[in-house]
Amino acid sequence: MSNAVTADQTENNYYNPQAIEAAQQTKWATDKRFEVSNEPSDKPSRYMLSMFPYPSGKLHMGHVRNYTISDVLSRYYRLKGYEVMQPMGWDGFGLPAENAAIANQTPPAAWTFANIDSMRAQLKLLGLSIDWSREFATCSPEYYQWEQWLFLQLYKKGLVYKKLSTVNWDPVDNTVLANEQVIDGKGWRSGAAVEKRDIPMYYFNITDYADELLDDLDQLEGHWPSEVLTMQRNWIGRSAGMEVHFPYELAGEENTLDVFTTRPDTLMGVTYVAVAAEHPLAQYASEQDDAIAQFCALCKKGSVAEADLAKAEKIGMDTGLTVTHPLTGEEVPVWVANYVLMSYGSGAVMAVPAHDERDYEFAVKYNLPIKQVINVPEGYFDELKADAKANDSEVNFAYTERNTLVNSGEFDGLDFEQAFEAMLAKLEPKELAKKKIQYRLRDWGVSRQRYWGCPIPMINCEHCGTVPVEEQDLPVVLPTDVVPDGRGNPLKNIPEFVNTTCPKCGNPAERETDTFDTFVESSWYYARFASPNDAQNMVNKSAANKWLPVDQYVGGVEHAVMHLLLSLIHI
Ligand code: ANZ
Ligand code: ZN
């Protein structure tokens, strides 16, 4: 470096970063030193991708650490003779821009692009070896038009569907709230008690690929850390079990209450069934009885986040309805319970208090019978009892392990597998049960009732229902001179945006005002970096063949490692 420093750049031999670094960086820019071409080359290629930043305002140390790692690696591979692509872009859509808009009365677009300008300038000061010719922001139509195009392709293939789903609703601001905008069950701006509401939303049918995703994780064995593979497997959460049907008659009609269980061996220990507040049986009971209606309304209040539900105290109410036990023919009471999720299985559980901890807690609280049907080894609870005595705490006596069946009549003495098969053999011919694989993985709900996002390219027509926008009419451009006020989606008040004609029948129709979840943008930016300026294709094939897949991604995990290193050396 010393011979590059001229006399006027140093004063008394002090390093003058403003002068020296600016000169060097200007030279890099003029020489296009870090720009790489998509033309074939003899050199091996290396795609170094960093988690792209959300343009929140200024860079923080996390950015500096993260991008320094990618830069060190990029420079290392260049010296090793690789052609290295290190791109940079902006995850431009999202809620913080709307919140800032409300606070400062600036349109989210102006706020976002101003932030991009200042963060780009900061990144450039760092002297990172980035190919700036590939820069893009996901909030520009040149990028998000391809997202709309992709949505139309998925729609054509039947991989997009519309379904009612539950959201947090602020009744004062008339707006949908994200989970993080619900504080202690109240809206962050209005302070109003948050309600749950069912509204139609678009879903990507990703669960169709659950098995494929799970099976192919095996190929990453030895390449990915085993903890990460375990997390991925748990996220997909394949549960093999049984769907059991409990018959009932209601208003003269025969029906069945379906439950998903991973423990059909405990069927003889069922002492009640519990349904979610949104379940049709709970709704029926609500129509008959005000107290139940009020209880269900209470359950629907508060956050829809699963983590919050798990923490919440278990509460329930007897509906007065009963269903028939498929083996014994006995009547089993139906309860509404807040610990049953409408979004898992069939929104109902067969409760076995003796062998399930949640059911146990609930049964003790509401004085419901507890019937043991799995053999509990001698002395199993002794330690627990002693602990409880010492700490003066409650004991949960649910025995949740698998073991031999007891108190189960003809099934006594069978182990888990034998009981599973025996129950199935008995119930399946009567259509009272079938094997079922249940995934924790949900289809991806991509609709957000937000202004600052990519418009969903759909049209709602009175005559034809939902009709996709024609491909040649893309992009559906988001108006940018809008200042949201936190009350509902401002797009609804822009007739130039909303009013359109139906592509099918030609009658007046309305545009969808929901926008995509911003994770839709960040799910494919890595691919767009290969051909960021292609106006004909979402991803250019030959460019993709040259650069993809990503060779090294520097995001959350590496960031954590760097954090640890820096803290060890006390920075
Ligand atoms: C009876 C039973 C007896 C259960 C027992 C467990 C132990 P995983 O493993 O996560 O798939 N369940 C089913 N649907 C539910 C819902 N919508 N909300 C809350 N809980 C639900 O969990 C499967 C178990 O979770 C099922 O097996 C069911 O309780 C409960 F000794 O059925 B089990
Ligand atoms: Zn129409």
Side-chain angles (χ1 to χ4, degrees):
M1 237 357 213
S2 60
N3 57 354
V5 181
T6 58
D8 60 322
Q9 284 171 336
T10 60
E11 197 181 309
N12 306 327
N13 286 331
Y14 285 127
Y15 176 61
N16 178 350
Q18 279 82 4
I20 297 168
E21 293 181 11
Q24 191 60 40
Q25 288 163 15
T26 308
K27 189 162 163 38
W28 287 342
T30 338
D31 295 354
K32 300 187 190 323
R33 184 73 64 85
F34 306 116
E35 288 184 23
V36 280
S37 110
N38 284 347
E39 296 304 315
S41 138
D42 297 336
K43 288 186 178 177
S45 71
R46 186 93 188 160
Y47 180 2
M48 282 296 316
L49 179 69
S50 296
M51 178 189 275
F52 70 168
Y54 177 76
S56 52
K58 298 263 179 294
L59 292 189
H60 52 66
M61 274 316 288
H63 290 126
V64 177
R65 289 172 175 186
N66 197 77
Y67 301 138
T68 303
I69 303 172
S70 344
D71 198 52
V72 168
L73 288 163
S74 296
R75 288 173 187 273
Y76 171 80
Y77 279 103
R78 271 187 214 106
L79 292 173
K80 298 264 281 184
Y82 284 75
E83 197 176 11
V84 176
M85 169 166 82
Q86 186 180 212
M88 186 54 71
W90 310 96
D91 193 7
F93 280 132
L95 199 51
E98 286 190 42
N99 295 344
I102 296 166
N104 312 325
Q105 293 299 299
T106 29
W111 183 84
T112 304
F113 283 108
N115 287 349
I116 288 176
D117 285 343
S118 64
M119 288 169 76
R120 185 197 301 105
Q122 288 184 302
L123 275 178
K124 289 198 168 172
L125 280 179
L126 284 171
L128 303 170
S129 60
I130 286 167
D131 178 353
W132 284 104
S133 73
R134 290 174 191 261
E135 176 190 358
F136 60 77
T138 57
C139 54
S140 57
E142 292 74 26
Y143 181 81
Y144 67 67
Q145 65 177 327
W146 293 111
E147 193 161 303
Q148 296 175 335
W149 177 84
L150 175 69
F151 178 86
L152 295 179
Q153 312 310 310
L154 293 175
Y155 183 81
K156 271 191 235 159
K157 285 206 154 47
L159 290 168
V160 166
Y161 64 92
K162 204 176 186 181
K163 174 181 97 166
L164 283 183
S165 53
T166 314
V167 294
N168 303 309
W169 178 258
D170 183 322
V172 169
D173 277 349
N174 284 323
T175 193
V176 172
L177 300 177
N179 285 333
E180 59 270 25
Q181 294 178 316
V182 180
I183 297 150
D184 294 331
K186 301 205 165 67
W188 66 302
R189 285 187 72 243
S190 68
V194 170
E195 297 166 7
K196 289 182 188 176
R197 264 212 188 173
D198 289 331
I199 58 170
M201 295 212 230
Y202 288 99
Y203 281 82
F204 287 171
N205 195 355
I206 60 173
T207 49
D208 261 18
Y209 298 87
D211 267 326
E212 202 176 316
L213 283 168
L214 191 66
D215 293 343
D216 287 358
L217 282 176
D218 294 346
Q219 296 175 25
L220 295 170
E221 209 75 65
H223 300 278
W224 280 21
S226 60
E227 298 83 358
V228 176
L229 290 174
T230 303
M231 274 161 60
Q232 293 285 318
R233 290 194 177 103
N234 291 343
W235 178 253
I236 297 168
R238 186 179 192 272
S239 276
M242 205 182 281
E243 189 177 87
V244 182
H245 308 263
F246 289 71
Y248 64 87
E249 206 190 284
L250 204 61
E253 281 196 44
E254 307 259 313
N255 217 326
T256 61
L257 173 71
D258 303 335
V259 305
F260 171 70
T261 179
T262 47
R263 295 296 304 272
D265 56 323
T266 64
L267 188 51
M268 293 296 279
V270 172
T271 58
Y272 67 100
V273 294
V275 298
E278 298 85 359
H279 192 278
L281 271 188
Q283 274 165 10
Y284 175 86
S286 296
E287 284 158 22
Q288 313 299 312
D289 185 333
D290 270 354
I292 295 172
Q294 279 171 19
F295 177 77
C296 289
L298 181 75
C299 290
K300 287 179 194 170
K301 272 195 186 138
S303 155
V304 292
E306 211 176 303
D308 293 341
L309 277 179
K311 273 187 286 173
E313 191 198 341
K314 287 173 194 54
I315 48 171
M317 194 165 190
D318 192 351
T319 62
L321 303 169
T322 59
V323 292
T324 309
H325 192 289
L327 286 173
T328 65
E330 278 170 24
E331 294 300 290
V332 181
V334 180
W335 284 65
V336 191
N338 69 336
Y339 71 92
V340 184
L341 302 168
M342 193 57 215
S343 55
Y344 190 69
S346 27
V349 300
M350 56 177 233
V352 186
H355 303 292
D356 181 281
E357 287 177 356
R358 292 169 302 176
D359 301 344
Y360 182 90
E361 195 183 322
F362 194 84
V364 168
K365 179 164 181 185
Y366 292 106
N367 230 341
L368 289 154
I370 299 172
K371 184 183 169 200
Q372 185 199 338
V373 290
I374 302 293
N375 186 36
V376 181
E378 194 82 38
Y380 184 82
F381 287 118
D382 287 357
E383 207 174 306
L384 209 65
K385 276 185 202 159
D387 275 3
K389 214 169 175 192
N391 307 326
D392 198 23
S393 58
E394 298 264 332
V395 186
N396 192 308
F397 285 117
Y399 176 74
T400 58
E401 306 290 316
R402 291 177 181 183
N403 209 342
T404 319
L405 274 65
V406 295
N407 295 330
S408 297
E410 61 184 290
F411 304 101
D412 278 358
L414 301 184
D415 68 14
F416 174 83
E417 274 84 19
Q418 292 165 333
F420 192 111
E421 290 309 321
M423 301 275 178
L424 194 66
K426 187 113 193 189
L427 296 173
E428 199 169 30
K430 298 188 213 159
E431 292 187 10
L432 290 173
K434 58 174 189 247
K435 270 193 187 174
K436 191 173 176 193
I437 307 288
Q438 177 69 44
Y439 298 94
R440 258 194 73 80
L441 184 74
R442 296 274 87 89
D443 279 338
W444 182 5
V446 294
S447 297
R448 294 293 179 274
Q449 298 67 41
R450 296 276 157 217
Y451 155 68
W452 188 235
C454 168
I456 298 179
M458 285 296 216
I459 290 165
N460 302 314
C461 169
E462 246 175 54
H463 313 279
C464 316
T466 41
V467 183
V469 170
E470 302 274 306
E471 253 175 55
Q472 73 261 18
D473 295 336
L474 294 182
V476 178
V477 177
L478 184 75
T480 48
D481 52 349
V482 175
V483 182
D485 61 4
R487 296 192 180 81
N489 182 340
L491 284 178
K492 288 199 192 295
N493 306 323
I494 305 176
E496 301 79 18
F497 180 82
V498 175
N499 297 337
T500 182
T501 48
C502 171
K504 231 183 203 168
C505 70
N507 283 309
E510 293 195 343
R511 250 180 229 296
E512 176 62 61
T513 55
D514 281 1
T515 54
F516 285 126
D517 174 6
T518 58
F519 284 107
V520 181
E521 284 94 61
S522 49
S523 69
W524 70 280
Y525 73 101
Y526 77 94
R528 185 68 180 168
F529 274 136
S531 50
N533 304 314
D534 194 315
Q536 258 63 54
N537 308 284
M538 180 175 183
V539 180
N540 178 293
K541 253 204 179 127
S542 68
N545 284 337
K546 173 161 181 178
W547 296 113
L548 295 172
V550 173
D551 292 291
Q552 181 129 21
Y553 175 69
V554 185
V557 179
E558 289 82 355
H559 179 183
V561 172
M562 189 67 170
H563 191 88
L564 182 70
L565 283 177
L566 292 175
S567 60
L568 285 176
I569 56 171
H570 307 294
I571 289 183

